[in-house]
Amino acid sequence: MRQIQLTEHEETLRQLLLDVSKYIGTQDGCVAPQLRFTGGWVRDKLLGITSKDIDIGIDSMTGFKFGTLMKQYLDDPARRTQYGEDVLGGLAKIEANPEKSKHLETVTTKILGLEIDLVNLRKETYVENSRNPTMEFGTPVEDALRRDSTVNALFYNLSTSKVEDLTEKGLRDMELKVIRTPLEPHQTFKDDPLRVLRCIRFACKLDYEIDPDAELSMGDESIKEALRAKISRERVGIEIDKILRGPCPQYALSLIDRLGLYNTVFTNPSYDEIKNIATNDWSKAYYMLTQITNSDNGSPTSVTLRKLKQLLIKDAHECYVAWLLCSLTPWARTENPMKQKPDAKKNPPMAAVVAREGLKTENKTLKVISDAVLHLDEITASKNAMSNEGQSVTLPMKRKQAPLDRQNLGMAIRRWGSNWRSSVMFAILVETMGAGTQTEEEQNIDRYAAWLSYIAELDLLEAYSLKPVVDGRRLLKAIDKPAGPWMFAALNMVLEWQFRNPENHSPEDATAEVQSRRQELGFD
């Protein structure tokens, strides 16, 4: 039997919980509960991974009742001093909610700096059309068998200090590096289809394979339908968010692709008439993003990809956004089928609709997605113009200037906004999907790298944040006209002048530029 070595704080926590259990046993009508650390913490400890989140499984009372009695035990100052200062934080009660089949109260709290969930051991009974089970007190074996995978069903018994593998498969599956359901997989996923995404997430997190029988059930049409019908889109979105922020999003997307889950996960459930989107070339996009994000391996062939990563992915959040955009690339060229209402705001692109309705993505990120689709053709045209490939007429041109002069590029990046790097990444991935050959794909990547390097040489990477050197009041005085729509055009003239003259910061010279172009503003 494999052993777990507790840290000092974990050992203090163990002793505290055992003391509380013993105290509870002295109270009228109470039996000292058996306590276990459960689930992910046990798995991570066996893998040598630090974890500050611990679920405490309690065999004979609700988490709330145990938490209340623990607080009562620690109200005695003499007892508190045994375990250190600030031993117990506030108790956050999660109420029973029969409508969601949460019949037993639980508690979250912080003990000795560790995030703790106090939960009773339970068994679950499912009905056909809901993933919300009826929960009742259960035995340790029943609690282990209800879990999504055997490696998440391991317990650490606080009384014996031993790991318990009550499914009799968890430790072996850790050695085999396999994600396997404790019970028959088809019924496991039928009961709670969200387990499909959880198994994918843990396979990616741990770099494990998924058991072939489980995979077969995950791709079954009845399971896909159950996932569509029984799982809230908020829960789907939470799992996908965790996957895309995890260590290996490409592995997860490849599983979703291979198991035929794309149109179940990345869909708009609010519109029944939407047809399934084709994903034949989607793998090109997620393999390309994998190459870009992993380009720091020192390989000579990764120099161009490393340049793209350096210029387009500044931090972990931008990496997450890149993977989210990658997951939506099959929708890039799909028109929104909803009828446009007269005088209403333009309908969002389908990629944004899928993220909003299918994943419940937050509004700030939805703006990034919408902008990426909106600017896709303009970004592509600008990149193509550098190699005289294709036409650049889609670029908003003024005064017949070259599409790649500093003014036009600077003003374009201002239009694309602060998330323009993410929009460029989206364009790269969409074009990669459309590449007919490996050579075409590589040439396109080279062109993007050259175009971005040129933007960097012109010092335009932060062009979106450039502020006019002349404010509106000064322009009003110089033009001597009432404020009106012309002001926006005049301020853009100032910005254009600044992009053409990056070393000149004179408000007077900028104002003179606007004065010289009065006719363009509609003035004599």
Side-chain angles (χ1 to χ4, degrees):
M1 183 66 67
R2 299 172 69 175
Q3 299 298 311
I4 284 179
Q5 186 68 41
L6 300 182
T7 66
E8 181 180 349
H9 276 181
E10 289 167 347
E11 178 56 41
T12 303
L13 172 64
R14 170 182 168 274
Q15 192 56 58
L16 166 62
L17 293 171
L18 289 175
D19 291 345
V20 172
S21 176
K22 184 177 180 180
Y23 167 77
I24 291 173
T26 67
Q27 305 301 297
D28 290 342
C30 292
V31 176
Q34 291 291 312
L35 305 174
R36 292 168 173 85
F37 293 160
T38 67
W41 178 90
V42 182
R43 178 202 68 225
D44 287 348
K45 288 293 285 189
L46 290 171
L47 292 171
I49 300 172
T50 301
S51 177
K52 291 193 173 182
D53 296 331
I54 307 179
D55 290 350
I56 312 297
I58 308 162
D59 73 342
S60 59
M61 62 179 58
T62 67
F64 179 68
K65 184 173 182 180
F66 183 89
T68 301
L69 290 167
M70 177 168 60
K71 185 177 183 301
Q72 180 179 305
Y73 171 78
L74 290 171
D75 281 342
D76 184 339
R79 290 177 180 145
R80 294 181 72 94
T81 58
Q82 298 178 45
Y83 311 103
E85 297 181 2
D86 301 323
V87 59
L88 179 65
L91 299 178
K93 179 181 178 182
I94 301 175
E95 299 281 357
N97 188 340
E99 291 185 4
K100 294 187 176 181
S101 299
K102 294 180 180 178
H103 299 276
L104 302 167
E105 299 163 328
T106 63
V107 156
T108 62
T109 187
K110 182 173 281 192
I111 305 175
L112 299 167
L114 301 168
E115 299 292 337
I116 304 297
D117 283 359
L118 300 172
V119 185
N120 58 276
L121 299 178
R122 47 197 156 153
K123 64 178 179 181
E124 299 174 342
T125 304
Y126 287 86
V127 295
E128 181 66 23
N129 295 318
S130 175
R131 71 167 287 262
N132 295 317
T134 298
M135 295 185 185
E136 305 172 29
F137 282 103
T139 66
V141 171
E142 288 171 331
D143 191 272
L145 293 176
R146 73 176 179 81
R147 294 175 181 262
D148 51 36
S149 62
T150 59
V151 298
N152 288 339
L154 298 168
F155 297 158
Y156 176 80
N157 190 307
L158 270 60
S159 297
T160 65
S161 297
K162 291 183 178 180
V163 174
E164 296 176 334
D165 183 6
L166 301 179
T167 69
E168 300 182 355
K169 301 173 185 175
L171 292 173
R172 181 170 178 272
D173 285 342
M174 287 188 69
E175 293 178 359
L176 296 174
K177 296 188 175 181
V178 169
I179 296 295
R180 189 192 319 273
T181 57
L183 299 174
E184 192 276 323
H186 188 87
Q187 191 60 49
T188 296
F189 297 132
K190 192 82 170 180
D191 285 343
D192 184 358
L194 189 65
R195 289 169 175 157
V196 170
L197 295 181
R198 285 178 57 82
C199 283
I200 290 174
R201 174 160 66 87
F202 284 111
C204 298
K205 178 179 179 178
L206 303 173
D207 194 22
Y208 283 12
E209 298 290 330
I210 297 178
D211 169 61
D213 289 340
E215 273 202 11
L216 189 64
S217 294
M218 291 163 73
D220 185 90
E221 288 301 322
S222 66
I223 299 300
K224 294 178 192 177
E225 181 55 38
L227 182 54
R228 279 189 288 263
K230 294 174 69 172
I231 307 302
S232 74
R233 300 315 296 190
E234 287 85 357
R235 291 299 305 157
V236 171
I238 288 170
E239 288 300 320
I240 293 299
D241 187 84
K242 290 178 179 179
I243 284 170
L244 298 182
R245 294 181 189 275
C248 196
Q250 176 265 328
Y251 182 22
L253 297 187
S254 68
L255 283 170
I256 288 171
D257 194 9
R258 178 160 57 82
L259 297 174
L261 290 165
Y262 187 88
N263 285 288
T264 302
V265 176
F266 299 102
T267 187
N268 176 14
S270 65
Y271 194 71
D272 295 334
E273 297 180 23
I274 290 181
K275 296 180 180 179
N276 286 349
I277 198 74
T279 58
N280 306 56
D281 296 316
W282 184 40
S283 61
K284 295 180 183 179
Y286 56 73
Y287 281 126
M288 174 55 68
L289 185 53
T290 301
Q291 291 180 66
I292 293 172
T293 55
N294 294 342
S295 60
D296 295 329
N297 59 15
S299 168
T301 59
S302 67
V303 172
T304 300
L305 299 174
R306 189 158 58 247
K307 172 66 72 173
L308 293 179
K309 180 179 180 181
Q310 290 170 349
L311 293 174
L312 298 180
I313 301 179
K314 296 186 297 183
D315 52 35
H317 177 71
E318 287 193 350
C319 188
Y320 157 74
V321 170
W323 280 108
L324 178 59
L325 290 170
C326 181
S327 71
L328 297 167
T329 48
W331 292 100
R333 300 291 186 184
T334 304
E335 295 291 331
N336 190 327
M338 298 298 290
K339 186 175 181 181
Q340 181 68 49
K341 296 180 180 178
D343 302 322
K345 187 177 179 181
K346 186 178 179 180
N347 287 338
M350 276 305 301
V353 173
V354 168
R356 184 188 68 199
E357 301 298 333
L359 304 177
K360 299 302 179 182
T361 302
E362 63 179 3
N363 288 337
K364 185 177 180 181
T365 306
L366 289 175
K367 177 70 165 55
V368 179
I369 297 167
S370 293
D371 285 349
V373 178
L374 175 65
H375 302 311
L376 175 58
D377 289 335
E378 187 177 354
I379 288 171
T380 302
S382 181
K383 178 267 302 180
N384 288 346
M386 186 157 185
S387 58
N388 295 319
E389 171 196 339
Q391 299 296 319
S392 60
V393 294
T394 55
L395 284 166
M397 301 285 287
K398 290 187 178 181
R399 305 180 79 191
K400 298 182 180 180
Q401 287 164 317
L404 291 178
D405 69 15
R406 195 173 191 279
Q407 171 188 312
N408 268 291
L409 272 175
M411 293 301 288
I413 290 171
R414 283 187 62 81
R415 283 192 300 279
W416 302 338
S418 61
N419 296 302
W420 75 276
R421 291 178 176 85
S422 295
S423 295
V424 172
M425 181 63 80
F426 184 70
I428 290 172
L429 299 177
V430 171
E431 284 207 82
T432 297
M433 286 176 61
T437 65
Q438 180 70 25
T439 299
E440 183 181 340
E441 182 179 304
E442 292 172 355
Q443 289 175 343
N444 193 51
I445 291 298
D446 288 340
R447 292 183 183 117
Y448 269 107
W451 176 71
L452 286 165
S453 295
Y454 181 60
I455 289 173
E457 290 171 12
L458 294 177
D459 193 24
L460 289 175
L461 295 175
E462 307 299 322
Y464 61 86
S465 62
L466 183 68
K467 299 291 191 296
V469 295
V470 179
D471 62 20
R473 291 182 181 179
R474 185 162 189 154
L475 286 177
L476 282 172
K477 185 176 180 180
I479 301 299
D480 193 26
K481 294 291 182 180
W486 66 270
M487 286 286 293
F488 178 77
L491 287 171
N492 274 342
M493 289 179 180
V494 171
L495 290 167
E496 291 171 354
W497 176 86
Q498 288 177 238
F499 283 126
R500 294 197 308 274
N501 303 277
E503 304 301 324
N504 189 342
H505 307 292
S506 166
E508 292 78 15
D509 289 351
T511 303
E513 164 74 5
V514 178
Q515 287 278 29
S516 70
R517 297 171 63 182
R518 289 175 61 93
Q519 286 188 333
E520 294 179 46
L521 298 174
F523 304 134
D524 296 332

